[in-house]
């Protein structure tokens, strides 16, 4: 068994698609109409057949509450791995990404956290 799709709640699918593709550099894999929403997935340009990130509308009240609560508590909604966190941090800053935590060594790993502008904090980590 392997993970093929993981989702992240977003407030606006179009805004999220723009942020995750243009600012972060993920590539759109699927964009399929599903009623008033769409099935939008992105993949890493380094792994086109890898795990897909689904931009899930937070339309349901429980999804909104969950998203708002973890954001207000400073808890990242998900984590992405990077090979060089300093280089990635600088690239994202140049792309206008706002960080809530600069790269910080935590034991064996270094992490940083940014706001995705769609209701989530996202952590990047270098092992």
């Amino acid at each position: 068994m392997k993970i093929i799709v993981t989702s992240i709640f977003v407030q606006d699918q179009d805004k999220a698609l723009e942020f995750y593709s243009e600012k972060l550099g993920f590539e759109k894999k699927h964009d399929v109409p599903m009623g008033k929403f769409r099935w939008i997935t992105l993949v890493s340009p380094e792994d086109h057949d890898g795990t897909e990130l689904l931009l899930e509308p937070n339309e349901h009240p429980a999804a909104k509450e969950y998203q708002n609560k973890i954001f207000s508590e400073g808890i990242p909604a998900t984590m992405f791995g990077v090979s060089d966190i300093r280089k990635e941090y600088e690239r994202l800053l140049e792309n206008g990404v706002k960080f809530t935590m600069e790269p910080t060594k935590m034991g064996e790993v270094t992490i940083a956290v940014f706001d995705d502008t769609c209701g989530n904090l996202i952590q990047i980590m270098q092992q």
Side-chain angles (χ1 to χ4, degrees), residues 36-79:
K36 80 180 216 184
F37 299 109
R38 295 157 31 216
W39 177 268
I40 303 172
T41 64
L42 301 121
V43 293
S44 168
E46 300 165 18
D47 190 3
H48 291 284
D49 295 319
T51 304
E52 297 175 38
L53 177 66
L54 173 64
L55 302 177
E56 183 82 33
N58 72 349
E59 188 71 10
H60 191 281
K64 286 181 184 177
E65 182 178 347
Y66 167 77
Q67 185 182 29
N68 290 335
K69 187 68 173 168
I70 66 169
F71 185 90
S72 69
E73 295 288 329
I75 300 169
T78 196
M79 180 188 322

Side-chain angles (χ1 to χ4, degrees), residues 1 5 9 13 21 30 44 51 54 56 59 61 70 78 94 97-98 100 106 114-115 118 121 127:
M1 188 178 313
V5 176
F9 291 119
Q13 286 185 301
S21 60
H30 300 286
S44 168
T51 304
L54 173 64
E56 183 82 33
E59 188 71 10
I70 66 169
T78 196
E94 288 174 10
V97 175
K98 305 288 188 227
T100 61
M106 301 273 189
F114 62 85
D115 184 336
C118 303
L121 296 174
Q127 292 181 310

Side-chain angles (χ1 to χ4, degrees), residues 18-20 22-25 88-101 112-117 120 122 124:
E18 181 180 333
F19 181 86
Y20 281 83
E22 293 180 20
K23 301 278 186 188
L24 301 187
E88 192 66 18
Y89 174 76
E90 292 300 327
R91 181 185 77 82
L92 293 175
L93 281 176
E94 288 174 10
N95 282 344
V97 175
K98 305 288 188 227
F99 280 81
T100 61
M101 175 193 265
V113 179
F114 62 85
D115 184 336
D116 76 352
T117 73
N120 303 292
I122 306 296
I124 56 174

